[in-house]
Amino acid sequence: MDELADSRIFPYQPNKIAPLVFAAAFSLSLAVHIFQAYKARAKFMLVLIFATAFQILGYLCRKIAAENGSSGIFIVSQTCIVAAPSFSAAQDYMIIGRMMSYVGSESTFISHSIVTKLFVFIDIVCVLTQSTGIAMLTMGSGGPDSMSTGRGILIFGLFLQIASFVIFLFIAILFDRKSLSLHRDKIELKRLRPLFTAFYISAVLIIGRCVYRAIEFTMMDFAHLDDDYLFTHEWPIYALDGFPILIATVVFNICNPAWYLPRKKGLRMDGSQEGTRKHWWSRVKTAQSQEHMMEGGR
């Protein structure tokens, strides 16, 4: 009975231990993230907490689907596992935005407000398109045409995420280099080095995972699915998706952003407070801290 159920939704005999291993690993990381965020009052880390929770739900549902062959549970599993990394990408955008605000606008060629709002908006589009696409593709209730449309939507979402994240990574590298050239001797900037490294690790892993998924679904041929290696083998799901995203999650347990960035948004590393902006897209003028103004008046 189980074998018949498996063959209906899986093109292979699914491993029933691996989903539990990954669910447990993500659960441990989630527990640490919740503790770290609560202790530091770091509300800006909630996005990564949600992303990790979706991963856990995805792998638990995969375990259930492997046991009872439920197509509905399988759809939930696929949707969570495929779409959750988009939330991880959004967290990366927010972390760099916070770093830009902390270091100062003179170290960037674009407002951190634009960076955060624009790329998070694009990421929302990626979540919606990938969730819709994988759901249509997995359900298959509308026939080949519906599945083909779903695959197209999913591929669009994946390539959009790859393109946007590569552009964002380029912006982050420029910010990193410029901040080093302007504030090379500042101790506060040197303290940010581990967080930059954690971001780069996370970004490369998320982009690599998206490339794998894009290749997987682009090469999918409904007429010859039995000849599709990525479709008919389970190990790439864990090795090229689950494991990279797990590392991209755990790296922020090891280098938690709340350890390096101020709890209050707008506080700069020189002690000044970020001023107000006329428009959300305009650059801000730095409002001097009271201590600096007092020093200037002496």
Tab-separated table of all heavy atoms in Angstrom, residues 183-192:
chain	number	residue	atom	x	y	z
A	183	HIS	N	36.178	54.174	6.272
A	183	HIS	CA	36.237	53.976	7.728
A	183	HIS	C	37.163	52.818	8.099
A	183	HIS	O	36.875	52.073	9.029
A	183	HIS	CB	34.828	53.694	8.275
A	183	HIS	CG	33.788	54.676	7.845
A	183	HIS	ND1	33.739	55.972	8.319
A	183	HIS	CD2	32.745	54.548	6.973
A	183	HIS	CE1	32.715	56.597	7.773
A	183	HIS	NE2	32.095	55.761	6.964
A	184	ARG	N	38.244	52.669	7.391
A	184	ARG	CA	39.117	51.513	7.580
A	184	ARG	C	39.607	51.362	9.019
A	184	ARG	O	39.757	50.238	9.516
A	184	ARG	CB	40.314	51.610	6.627
A	184	ARG	CG	41.244	50.404	6.673
A	184	ARG	CD	42.332	50.535	5.649
A	184	ARG	NE	41.793	50.583	4.298
A	184	ARG	CZ	41.489	49.516	3.588
A	184	ARG	NH1	41.653	48.312	4.108
A	184	ARG	NH2	41.012	49.634	2.367
A	185	ASP	N	39.848	52.471	9.688
A	185	ASP	CA	40.443	52.412	11.031
A	185	ASP	C	39.405	52.367	12.153
A	185	ASP	O	39.775	52.311	13.323
A	185	ASP	CB	41.375	53.614	11.239
A	185	ASP	CG	42.552	53.589	10.274
A	185	ASP	OD1	42.997	52.475	9.928
A	185	ASP	OD2	43.016	54.669	9.877
A	186	LYS	N	38.142	52.420	11.819
A	186	LYS	CA	37.113	52.432	12.862
A	186	LYS	C	36.912	51.032	13.439
A	186	LYS	O	36.684	50.074	12.708
A	186	LYS	CB	35.788	52.965	12.297
A	186	LYS	CG	35.736	54.485	12.193
A	186	LYS	CD	34.340	54.964	11.908
A	186	LYS	CE	34.268	56.487	11.981
A	186	LYS	NZ	34.465	56.983	13.360
A	187	ILE	N	36.973	50.943	14.749
A	187	ILE	CA	36.801	49.652	15.427
A	187	ILE	C	35.413	49.092	15.191
A	187	ILE	O	35.224	47.884	15.016
A	187	ILE	CB	37.059	49.813	16.943
A	187	ILE	CG1	38.508	50.240	17.188
A	187	ILE	CG2	36.742	48.525	17.687
A	187	ILE	CD1	38.831	50.508	18.644
A	188	GLU	N	34.410	49.993	15.152
A	188	GLU	CA	33.026	49.541	14.957
A	188	GLU	C	32.853	48.830	13.623
A	188	GLU	O	32.114	47.849	13.532
A	188	GLU	CB	32.056	50.733	15.045
A	188	GLU	CG	31.959	51.379	16.410
A	188	GLU	CD	33.058	52.407	16.644
A	188	GLU	OE1	33.924	52.572	15.745
A	188	GLU	OE2	33.052	53.046	17.714
A	189	LEU	N	33.535	49.327	12.580
A	189	LEU	CA	33.426	48.685	11.272
A	189	LEU	C	34.141	47.331	11.273
A	189	LEU	O	33.657	46.371	10.660
A	189	LEU	CB	34.016	49.588	10.187
A	189	LEU	CG	33.857	49.070	8.745
A	189	LEU	CD1	32.387	48.963	8.378
A	189	LEU	CD2	34.579	49.982	7.757
A	190	LYS	N	35.267	47.257	11.962
A	190	LYS	CA	35.981	45.986	12.046
A	190	LYS	C	35.140	44.933	12.753
A	190	LYS	O	35.206	43.749	12.429
A	190	LYS	CB	37.317	46.182	12.771
A	190	LYS	CG	38.321	47.029	11.990
A	190	LYS	CD	39.611	47.205	12.764
A	190	LYS	CE	40.607	48.048	11.965
A	190	LYS	NZ	41.871	48.261	12.719
A	191	ARG	N	34.335	45.377	13.715
A	191	ARG	CA	33.456	44.444	14.416
A	191	ARG	C	32.375	43.876	13.511
A	191	ARG	O	31.826	42.806	13.795
A	191	ARG	CB	32.792	45.144	15.615
A	191	ARG	CG	33.710	45.415	16.783
A	191	ARG	CD	32.918	45.940	17.980
A	191	ARG	NE	32.002	44.913	18.501
A	191	ARG	CZ	30.683	44.964	18.385
A	191	ARG	NH1	30.103	45.977	17.756
A	191	ARG	NH2	29.928	44.008	18.894
A	192	LEU	N	32.064	44.591	12.434
A	192	LEU	CA	31.034	44.122	11.501
A	192	LEU	C	31.535	43.057	10.539
A	192	LEU	O	30.742	42.436	9.830
A	192	LEU	CB	30.479	45.297	10.684
A	192	LEU	CG	29.566	46.292	11.396
A	192	LEU	CD1	29.139	47.389	10.429
A	192	LEU	CD2	28.347	45.594	11.978
